Amino acid sequence: MIQLTKRQARQFLLLKHGLLGEYKFSGKQGVLDFARQASCIQYDPIDVCGKNAELVLQSRIKGFTKEMLAELLYENRSLVDYPDKNLSIIPVEDWPYFERFRQAARLHGARYPEMEALTAQVRAHIQNYGALSSNDLKLEGDFSWQSAIHWSSGNNTTRSVLEQMYSTGELIIHHKKGTRKYYDIAKKYIQPNLLNASEPLEDELEHYKWRVLRRIGSVGLLWNRASDAWMNIWGLKTAQRNEVFRQLLQEERIVAVVVEQIKDMLYCLTEDLLLIEDVLQDHEPKLRCELIAPLDNFIWDRRLINELFGFDYTWEIYTPAIKRKYGYYVLPLLYGESFIGRAEIIVERKTGTLVVKNIWYENGVKQTTQLRTALNNCIQRFAIFNGCETISAEI
């Protein structure tokens, strides 16, 4: 059992994520390294100042560009779009571990007898014309479909068939244009040893253990309690989760961590003990200022972030405008070891302008010269990341 102060726990999390001190990850290889460390990065198509996955990466990867992620997904195929924690980006080598998802989708498809003939039409169209989106082919049909493995649903026949074939693993996302997804046959792009692999962990409890380990590693520290960090791990109820934690502790794959003033036990991966030892040396890492994605792995458990950092964050994108406290698309603002506030930033693409609409500082934050310099550097990097030549501040 490890004992940490709150500050040490904060430092551990920030260093684990490469958000404190010198950049831990750099360039295209850094994107791949972080994706493998994180196991999955949530995908969200909304693009106000970068899509969620891009925002996650820009805060950690030195020299990150959006093209790096696109290349790893759609040229190198080292990463792949597939449901994990909701729609996600995962390392392609993890593909076999989600065979149970695909099998569930195949069984689910039997509920729609229209599917068999319609999927044959999609295969023929791709064979003749290549990757397609739901706009490229009009399938005749009239049925309401819902995915077995993620939130997609609707009565657009073509989109439903494509999503079903994507869910079963027959299709993958070939590329995206804005929010539109283009699909192609998976076997063209995923190596046979991965594509055709059987489920590596047929035992359900072993699968849960694998999923929980990934989520703990993705966040850094987690507790054995209800959390958004466990989202989309089917069937993981309290009893199963308790048994998973018991076995992982017994197998010494995770370590219990006691943090001052926090009632619940936290847990980290055993492989992260070296990083904790480094934190205990009481270094003073270089301070950085970063904008954090709304669905960032680091803040998956908002209650934990509130207890450790004293920062209460709600993504208000789905909150009615009249009830919003801040704004539609507001990003947490990190400086050094603290969340110092939140910022509403939009990109005006026609003019190539990054517009800083508002910054709300947390109570007690002193806007020192050092902080303002770090914030200005952060905003300038953010403008470059978004391809903006000018910055406009409305504050």
Side-chain angles (χ1 to χ4, degrees):
M1 185 182 297
I2 305 294
Q3 293 188 330
L4 299 178
T5 65
K6 274 192 176 181
R7 186 189 179 199
Q8 288 168 338
R10 291 194 294 266
Q11 282 192 343
F12 166 72
L13 280 175
L14 292 165
L15 289 169
K16 166 86 173 174
H17 282 272
L19 291 167
L20 182 64
E22 300 293 342
Y23 283 96
K24 178 179 176 182
F25 305 99
S26 178
K28 189 173 170 182
Q29 183 60 47
V31 175
L32 187 56
D33 290 343
F34 175 73
R36 286 173 171 158
Q37 173 183 295
S39 299
C40 80
I41 303 171
Q42 271 188 267
Y43 172 77
D44 188 89
I46 296 168
D47 190 351
V48 173
C49 52
K51 298 183 181 74
N52 183 76
E54 296 166 343
L55 292 169
V56 170
L57 295 166
Q58 65 81 33
S59 65
R60 296 162 167 82
I61 314 298
K62 187 175 182 180
F64 174 74
T65 65
K66 298 175 185 181
E67 290 73 25
M68 291 176 183
L69 179 59
E71 287 172 10
L72 287 165
L73 278 165
Y74 307 127
E75 293 182 22
N76 307 135
R77 304 287 171 179
S78 302
L79 303 175
V80 64
D81 299 280
Y82 203 69
D84 185 349
K85 187 179 182 289
N86 294 333
L87 286 180
S88 295
I89 293 167
I90 64 172
V92 72
E93 58 263 29
D94 288 346
W95 180 266
Y97 292 88
F98 293 90
E99 175 58 25
R100 64 186 59 222
F101 275 47
R102 296 185 284 277
Q103 182 59 31
R106 293 180 197 116
L107 293 172
H108 179 72
R111 296 173 54 186
Y112 304 92
E114 307 95 326
M115 280 289 179
E116 187 173 351
L118 294 172
T119 54
Q121 291 183 51
V122 170
R123 291 185 200 110
H125 191 281
I126 292 176
Q127 179 70 29
N128 292 326
Y129 303 104
L132 82 160
S133 76
S134 57
N135 275 4
D136 297 329
L137 176 65
K138 176 65 175 176
L139 294 175
E140 297 300 327
D142 184 20
F143 61 95
S144 182
W145 170 88
Q146 186 171 356
S147 171
I149 65 173
H150 64 101
W151 46 255
S152 185
S153 63
N155 53 16
N156 179 314
T157 301
T158 302
R159 181 170 179 262
S160 295
V161 174
L162 289 171
E163 288 274 359
Q164 171 65 14
M165 295 175 75
Y166 167 68
S167 298
T168 65
E170 182 173 354
L171 301 181
I172 63 167
I173 295 175
H174 178 268
H175 68 281
K176 301 189 190 90
K177 287 184 180 178
T179 60
R180 185 160 298 282
K181 293 174 283 191
Y182 289 76
Y183 298 89
D184 204 347
I185 303 297
K187 67 181 179 182
K188 294 182 183 179
Y189 306 99
I190 297 180
Q191 296 176 7
N193 64 310
L194 295 175
L195 184 71
N196 303 320
S198 57
E199 171 69 51
L201 302 170
E202 293 186 6
D203 179 78
E204 188 173 56
L205 186 61
E206 289 301 313
H207 179 76
Y208 285 152
K209 286 161 65 176
W210 182 77
R211 300 291 296 282
V212 167
L213 275 173
R214 291 171 90 246
R215 297 293 173 89
I216 294 173
S218 193
V219 177
L221 283 173
L222 276 176
W223 38 30
N224 177 15
R225 57 181 293 175
S227 168
D228 281 352
W230 313 127
M231 191 177 291
N232 214 32
I233 304 180
W234 301 342
L236 185 67
K237 308 300 182 186
T238 302
Q240 289 88 350
R241 198 177 66 240
N242 288 341
E243 180 60 17
V244 164
F245 272 84
R246 187 191 70 79
Q247 291 196 21
L248 291 176
L249 277 168
Q250 186 178 49
E251 295 166 8
E252 298 183 349
R253 299 167 80 181
I254 61 173
V255 177
V257 180
V258 176
V259 178
E260 64 176 353
Q261 299 174 8
I262 292 184
K263 181 179 68 174
D264 293 276
M265 188 79 71
L266 296 169
Y267 300 88
C268 73
L269 299 182
T270 301
E271 65 200 57
D272 284 333
L273 284 176
L274 288 176
L275 182 55
I276 287 182
E277 289 177 11
D278 188 53
V279 167
L280 294 175
Q281 298 302 311
D282 201 26
H283 301 302
E284 289 292 336
K286 176 184 175 183
L287 306 185
R288 281 184 11 225
C289 187
E290 299 289 355
L291 288 156
I292 302 300
L295 299 174
D296 197 295
N297 308 53
F298 175 48
I299 58 172
W300 275 353
D301 193 312
R302 306 282 169 80
R303 184 167 178 179
L304 178 59
I305 289 297
N306 198 357
E307 291 211 23
L308 282 175
F309 291 84
F311 183 69
D312 185 13
Y313 175 69
T314 300
W315 192 31
E316 297 181 307
I317 194 166
Y318 300 115
T319 303
I322 197 170
K323 295 183 178 181
R324 288 182 193 134
K325 187 175 179 181
Y326 299 103
Y328 170 73
Y329 204 92
V330 172
L331 306 181
L333 189 56
L334 184 72
Y335 177 56
E337 301 173 23
S338 304
F339 286 98
I340 60 168
R342 57 206 86 203
E344 184 176 19
I345 300 176
I346 65 171
V347 174
E348 291 184 350
R349 291 178 174 83
K350 287 184 179 180
T351 61
T353 302
L354 188 81
V355 181
V356 183
K357 296 191 69 174
N358 212 331
I359 293 178
W360 297 269
Y361 289 99
E362 293 289 278
N363 292 333
V365 171
K366 295 180 180 179
Q367 297 179 44
T368 62
T369 301
Q370 186 181 22
L371 185 154
R372 284 190 171 277
T373 299
L375 177 58
N376 287 337
N377 290 337
C378 174
I379 298 296
Q380 287 171 14
R381 292 196 308 273
F382 202 64
I384 294 169
F385 155 71
N386 276 293
C388 294
E389 295 183 358
T390 57
I391 300 170
S392 172
E394 296 182 358
I395 53 177

